[in-house]
Amino acid sequence: MRTGKPSKTAIKVSSSIVTLGTTSYGQQILPDGLVDASEKILLASGVVSEKGVRWIKSPRMVSVYRAFDWLLPGQFEALGERKAFFERQVRAGIAAGATQILVLGAGFDTLGWRLATEFPKVKFFEIDHPVTANVKAKAVSKLGRRGNLYLIAEELGKRKLPDVLATHGSWNRESRSVILAEGLLMYLPAQAVRELFGQCLAIAGAESRVVFSYIPAGPDGRLDAGRWTGLMLWLQKVAGEPWLWSIEPQNIRSFLEGIGWKIAPELEGGTGRHSTEYFAVATNQA
Ligand SMILES: C[S@@+](CC[C@H](N)C(=O)[O-])C[C@H]1O[C@@H](n2cnc3c(N)ncnc32)[C@H](O)[C@@H]1O
């Protein structure tokens, strides 16, 4: 992971949502308010200029995504489907009684900032690398802080989640929680992914959920992002955010059961594969 600069991939995810919002497909699937909020957060954090926003909202930018679709077919639309999936999961979790939402590797995601006003009794937490978290915090201060949104600047893996949240007095490890790992696990080494799920178990009350996305591995056990996997692995490495973790979809159940979680296909809504990624939900229900 590059240090000193905000995450490139986080900027890319949020700016592609702004671009997707100019298309009729984006307008159909993206949650209300997401595109506008993403544009505001990108601008206010200074990672995209006014001119940059005009470019990412232009039809030419849509053409660029379409022209590079061969690299990761369907990825442009899939990022929108991912945002919609994670927001549906958070809303469903709150409806089922969750009072804490934790967004791991939040980047410039706007879910916490938007939903904190809609659900004033729910506490929203975000964690990201200090550089990314700090520029995001600057943006949130400019645009309007929420009393129930806590932004934590921390590198996952350096300090354990229970310790990070313990120093943050507002987190209650007995509360029913929804923990999000959207577009994150592929950036962590295998051991860190196992440990992260273990730590999630330690911080969450009964009937909590982890909502996550992951890149599948092929039958040879190696990450499979489609035909151009080798090129993608190289591009990610050069960008300073290499893809490290993947898992065969048929092994996800046993992987989670081995670390205290249970896959919950009944909560997923039959999502399956979206371009490079699978979306999934796990619960700690007995
Ligand atoms: C692809 S971006 C996804 C951002 C956001 N979840 C979204 O989907 O809009 C991955 C994010 O994970 C963060 N990240 C990766 N490894 C991390 C680590 N070890 N600790 C904290 N954050 C990490 C990056 O800084 C980046 O913001």
Side-chain angles (χ1 to χ4, degrees):
M1 169 80 202
R2 292 170 326 136
T3 49
K5 289 198 174 159
S7 162
K8 272 191 189 166
T9 57
I11 298 169
K12 166 148 188 308
V13 174
S14 288
S15 53
S16 29
I17 292 302
V18 176
T19 309
L20 188 64
T22 66
T23 68
S24 56
Y25 186 73
Q27 284 150 18
Q28 272 170 45
I29 65 154
L30 294 172
D32 286 348
L34 167 63
V35 174
D36 186 48
S38 302
E39 179 182 332
K40 285 192 171 121
I41 292 272
L42 286 170
L43 265 174
S45 53
V47 294
V48 177
S49 62
E50 294 275 2
K51 192 173 162 201
V53 165
R54 281 197 297 279
W55 165 243
I56 60 181
K57 287 170 85 174
S58 72
R60 276 184 300 162
M61 193 67 222
V62 176
S63 310
V64 171
Y65 280 110
R66 302 260 184 257
F68 283 93
D69 189 64
W70 55 269
L71 187 55
L72 291 175
Q75 166 81 349
F76 180 43
E77 290 78 10
L79 285 175
E81 287 155 17
R82 198 172 87 182
K83 285 277 163 235
F85 174 78
F86 276 75
E87 181 152 337
R88 270 200 308 279
Q89 289 299 329
V90 168
R91 290 181 180 279
I94 293 173
T99 55
Q100 293 183 141
I101 311 297
L102 171 60
V103 188
L104 300 171
F108 298 96
D109 180 70
T110 62
L111 180 139
W113 187 64
R114 287 180 297 114
L115 270 56
T117 43
E118 186 179 336
F119 298 103
K121 294 201 174 119
V122 176
K123 290 181 183 170
F124 292 82
F125 297 76
E126 294 188 358
I127 300 182
D128 207 301
H129 269 294
V131 181
T132 303
N134 289 336
V135 289
K136 165 96 167 274
K138 207 172 73 181
V140 166
S141 301
K142 273 193 209 159
L143 295 169
R145 286 209 186 109
R146 300 354 187 176
N148 54 335
L149 170 63
Y150 307 91
L151 303 181
I152 304 173
E154 198 77 49
E155 179 170 347
L156 296 164
K158 269 208 172 157
R159 269 174 83 209
K160 292 190 169 31
L161 264 185
D163 299 336
V164 171
L165 292 166
T167 35
H168 210 279
S170 308
W171 182 266
N172 182 346
R173 53 201 293 168
E174 305 302 327
S175 296
R176 191 190 290 200
S177 308
V178 180
I179 302 170
L180 310 183
E182 178 188 354
L184 169 72
L185 301 180
M186 60 288 274
Y187 298 100
L188 305 178
Q191 186 56 24
V193 174
R194 294 188 82 82
E195 285 172 12
L196 189 63
F197 274 101
Q199 292 166 21
C200 287
L201 204 57
I203 56 160
E207 300 187 46
S208 290
R209 300 172 185 178
V210 177
V211 186
F212 61 103
S213 63
Y214 66 95
I215 302 183
D220 59 0
R222 291 158 72 148
L223 186 145
D224 173 18
R227 186 164 173 212
W228 298 99
T229 297
L231 177 57
M232 273 313 299
L233 286 170
W234 181 78
L235 288 171
Q236 289 291 142
K237 200 170 162 189
V238 168
E241 297 180 52
W243 282 343
L244 302 173
W245 186 73
S246 62
I247 186 167
E248 286 178 76
Q250 66 269 29
N251 291 341
I252 198 79
R253 178 180 296 275
S254 56
F255 169 77
L256 288 168
E257 283 176 4
I259 46 181
W261 289 94
K262 201 171 145 221
I263 196 80
E266 71 282 3
L267 298 176
E268 285 169 21
T271 56
R273 188 169 185 167
H274 296 253
S275 182
T276 9
E277 282 178 283
Y278 280 80
F279 308 157
V281 185
T283 70
N284 61 357
Q285 236 165 333

